[in-house]
Amino acid sequence: SGGGCPRPVMAAMSPPSSSSGGPEPPPPPLQYSLLLQHLVGEQRRPRAWDPTALGGIPSPPKSEEQKMVERAMESCAFKAALACVGGFVLGGAFGVFTAGIDTNVGFDPKDPYRTPTAKEVLKDMGQRGISYAKNFAIVGAMFSCTECVVESYRGKSDWKNSVISGCITGGAIGFRAGLKAGVIGCGGFAAFSAAIDYYLR
Amino acid sequence: MTQACHRKCVPPYYKEAELSKGESVCLDRCVAKYLEVHERMGKKLTELSLQDEELLKRMQQGTGTA
């Protein structure tokens, strides 16, 4: 269709327009058929293809299963689950460690002068560890999930993602205790995330 | 397309070789938009060039008979 337009298109179109003007004839209207030839037809300018642009290093195409697995591993849900498990383990370790250096572990309010048995102490340490672990797991999952969502939305990967998601997480946690606590939580957690990010980058 | 999307989505200074999540998302969007724009422009240009051709034919017929 457009490729078969002959050259005299320009010459045929310009005389009618120049006869209407005075000393300066108006420019001839745009020849879309010519433009098409220049863009995708025979007269397009040859481009020097950079061999690295098309993946100069030959590699085998990825199979469907590989692509699916990679997509699953990069998804936000997987990252949140990973952070949840990691947070659980870290929180458990932290809780048990803090219980180990705490003097009040195994304290029996009914009989404060009795030395607690080993079983009571261990049970108390375990409870404390579990409680810390759950908290850390929830916080970690929330932070990772919000960071992934924010990064997917913005399409960029820089320090602002962790600050924004830190503010959201801290705000959500602190909001249960009131608006002011929410704001403080947002600021504190955002600053903490920014510091960690700065250290890691 | 590769150059355009690379310029838009990948910042010039980076520390790791892997594409981050944000960059991959940006590249997906860039490629999809590029292909859609390409398709629409092609359709529009063919439509306009067809109009051009018809006009030219009519003019030639007009000058031929006149």
Side-chain angles (χ1 to χ4, degrees):
Chain A
S1 60
C5 273
R7 277 276 188 183
V9 165
M10 204 66 134
M13 294 286 267
S14 42
S17 55
S18 60
S19 60
S20 57
E24 195 183 288
L30 195 56
Q31 316 296 321
Y32 288 108
S33 45
L34 274 187
L35 187 65
L36 196 63
Q37 267 187 327
H38 275 279
L39 283 178
V40 297
E42 295 92 40
Q43 285 163 351
R44 64 175 185 264
R45 248 183 307 162
R47 259 188 218 217
W49 279 114
D50 184 13
T52 54
L54 292 176
I57 304 169
S59 59
K62 293 186 183 175
S63 64
E64 277 303 312
E65 294 98 22
Q66 194 179 359
K67 279 196 253 189
M68 228 164 50
V69 165
E70 281 188 7
R71 207 183 316 148
M73 294 220 295
E74 281 178 356
S75 68
C76 279
F78 183 78
K79 284 192 181 174
L82 206 65
C84 191
V85 168
F88 192 82
V89 168
L90 196 72
F94 193 67
V96 167
F97 172 72
T98 341
I101 56 176
D102 189 7
T103 51
N104 288 341
V105 169
F107 183 68
D108 189 2
K110 295 185 211 126
D111 190 2
Y113 295 111
R114 180 177 63 92
T115 326
T117 64
K119 206 182 225 173
E120 284 174 10
V121 170
L122 281 172
K123 191 166 142 206
D124 212 12
M125 274 173 77
Q127 275 179 349
R128 196 174 205 182
I130 295 278
S131 141
Y132 268 60
K134 279 195 276 197
N135 275 327
F136 270 57
I138 292 176
V139 166
M142 251 172 44
F143 180 75
S144 170
C145 189
T146 48
E147 185 176 18
C148 188
V149 166
V150 163
E151 187 170 358
S152 307
Y153 175 75
R154 290 182 73 227
K156 293 186 222 172
S157 146
D158 54 4
W159 58 272
K160 290 185 200 166
N161 293 330
S162 5
V163 168
I164 291 172
S165 60
C167 182
I168 294 174
T169 313
I173 294 175
F175 192 67
R176 295 155 102 228
L179 187 64
K180 194 168 177 192
V183 170
I184 294 177
C186 165
F189 211 100
F192 172 67
S193 311
I196 299 258
D197 209 49
Y198 180 73
Y199 177 68
L200 281 178
R201 280 181 202 245
Chain B
M1 169 169 74
T2 317
Q3 282 178 342
C5 289
H6 185 90
R7 211 181 319 132
K8 278 183 192 288
C9 288
V10 176
Y13 295 106
Y14 43 83
K15 292 202 174 172
E16 21 172 65
E18 300 269 333
L19 279 176
S20 72
K21 174 115 184 128
E23 285 164 7
S24 347
V25 159
C26 178
L27 283 171
D28 280 342
R29 292 173 187 163
C30 178
V31 169
K33 281 201 179 169
Y34 190 97
L35 292 174
E36 183 166 344
V37 164
H38 193 235
E39 187 187 321
R40 283 206 200 179
M41 257 195 23
K43 279 192 201 151
K44 190 74 180 171
L45 276 177
T46 30
E47 181 192 311
L48 289 169
S49 71
L50 278 174
Q51 281 176 8
D52 237 13
E53 221 182 271
E54 278 176 39
L55 194 63
L56 175 67
K57 248 186 257 175
R58 246 180 280 142
M59 273 192 52
Q60 277 184 342
Q61 279 173 357
T63 53
T65 54

